Amino acid sequence: MQRVFITGASSGIGAALAKAYAQQGAVLGLVARRKETLAQIRAGLANPERHHLYALDVTDHAALHQAAQDFIGATGGADVVIANAGVSQGTLTEYVEDIPVFERIIATNVTATVATFHPFIVGMKASPQPQQCRLVGIGSVAGIRGLPGAEAYSASKAAVISYCESLRIELRASGIKVVTIAPGYIDTPMTQVNHYRMPFLMPVEKFAVQALAAIAAGDSYRVIPWQMGVVAKMLRLLPNSVYDFAFSKAPHKKRHL
C-alpha cells in the first residue's frame, strides 16, 4: 500500500493523480488551499477514510513542513511525494505591477517544490527500500523554451526542470528516484482559460494514467503527451533567430485572471 503526498490536490492534475492513486489502494496526503474543495475531492476517492487533508498555502513553509510531519507520523513515511502545486499567469516585464506576480509564481512553482521535498528525504534515505521512493516535480513544456508573455511561468518551469535534474544526480547514490513530469496541454482549469488553440490537448484522466506509469518506472524525465515531447525537442534544436521569428507573434496568456 503506497503512501503518496500530493500538493495542489484540489483540482486539475493534482486531483486526477489523487483519484488514480486512490484507485490503486494508496494512502494519500492531500494539500491545497481550499479546505471545502479538498473535502469534496476526498469524498469522491476510493477508501476516503484513509486519506489525510491539509488545507494550507504551499508558500507557507512552516505549515507545509508541519503537514509533512503529520503525514509521516500517521503513515510511517512516504513512498511518493508529488510537488504539483502551481500557478500560471501572463506577465510582462515592462509593467512594474507584474513584479509581485512574478515573485508569487516563482514562490509557488519553484521554492514550494523544494519545501515540499525537504521533509521527506531523510526518511526516504533510511527506508528499507529507498529505490522504491519517488520525488516527483511537475514541470511543463513551457519550461523548455521561453514563451512570449509568460516570462514568469516559463522561467519557473525551467527552474523546476533544472532543479529536479540537480536533485536527481545528488540523490542517485541513495537510490531515491527523482522524476520530472513535463505536461503539455492538459485539459484542466488552468488551460481552460486559454483563448488560443492548444495542440495535442489531453484529458486530465488520461494524463494521470501515463504519469503514474512514468513515476512507477522511475523515469528521470517524461513529457506527456509524447507528441509534445517531439515538438519540444524540435523547438530546442531551432536556432534562436528562427525560434524568435516564429514565436514573436504567438498568443499570450492573460495577464490578469
Side-chain angles (χ1 to χ4, degrees):
M1 183 165 52
Q2 282 194 308
R3 302 156 298 177
V4 183
F5 189 85
I6 306 172
T7 65
S10 63
S11 67
I13 286 174
L17 293 172
K19 183 177 180 179
Y21 272 114
Q23 288 173 342
Q24 292 185 355
V27 174
L28 305 178
L30 304 178
V31 177
R33 289 175 298 174
R34 298 171 291 176
K35 184 177 181 179
E36 296 80 7
T37 307
L38 270 180
Q40 292 171 3
I41 293 294
R42 177 169 65 179
L45 299 178
N47 305 304
E49 71 284 353
R50 290 182 180 176
H51 311 309
H52 305 262
L53 304 185
Y54 304 101
L56 58 90
D57 189 317
V58 292
T59 62
D60 183 343
H61 299 162
L64 182 57
H65 186 85
Q66 182 58 48
Q69 292 301 319
D70 182 85
F71 185 71
I72 291 168
T75 65
D79 304 296
V80 179
V81 177
I82 304 176
N84 168 72
V87 291
S88 175
Q89 187 171 332
T91 48
L92 293 174
T93 303
E94 65 191 273
Y95 294 100
V96 68
E97 63 267 29
D98 282 11
I99 294 176
V101 180
F102 202 113
E103 292 174 333
R104 178 174 67 89
I105 290 173
I106 294 296
T108 304
N109 296 3
V110 184
T111 311
T113 296
V114 181
T116 299
F117 290 162
H118 159 70
F120 295 97
I121 291 176
V122 171
M124 285 183 168
K125 284 184 173 181
S127 168
Q129 293 184 305
Q131 68 275 12
Q132 299 299 320
C133 296
R134 305 285 186 267
L135 298 172
V136 184
I138 304 297
S140 170
V141 294
I144 295 171
R145 294 216 71 158
L147 298 177
E151 292 106 330
Y153 187 70
S154 287
S156 73
K157 291 305 183 179
V160 168
I161 291 169
S162 291
Y163 162 68
C164 287
E165 184 169 59
S166 294
L167 185 63
R168 185 179 77 238
I169 297 167
E170 181 67 27
L171 293 179
R172 184 175 182 273
S174 73
I176 300 168
K177 303 292 185 184
V178 178
V179 178
T180 304
I181 304 290
Y185 290 112
I186 311 301
D187 190 8
T188 67
M190 184 180 287
T191 59
Q192 287 163 6
V193 300
N194 293 342
H195 59 281
Y196 47 82
R197 178 178 172 272
M198 293 176 283
F200 311 115
L201 183 67
M202 173 180 274
V204 70
E205 296 81 8
K206 186 175 180 180
F207 168 87
V209 170
Q210 295 188 20
L212 261 65
I215 294 167
D219 289 353
S220 59
Y221 178 80
R222 175 78 69 88
V223 177
I224 303 173
W226 67 265
Q227 294 95 330
M228 284 304 295
V230 174
V231 171
K233 286 182 179 179
M234 292 173 63
L235 292 177
R236 188 70 267 174
L237 293 172
L238 286 178
N240 288 347
S241 58
V242 176
Y243 179 80
D244 294 355
F245 176 79
F247 278 79
S248 60
K249 298 187 183 301
H252 288 37
K253 184 177 283 289
K254 291 181 179 180
R255 288 179 56 233
H256 302 290
L257 299 179

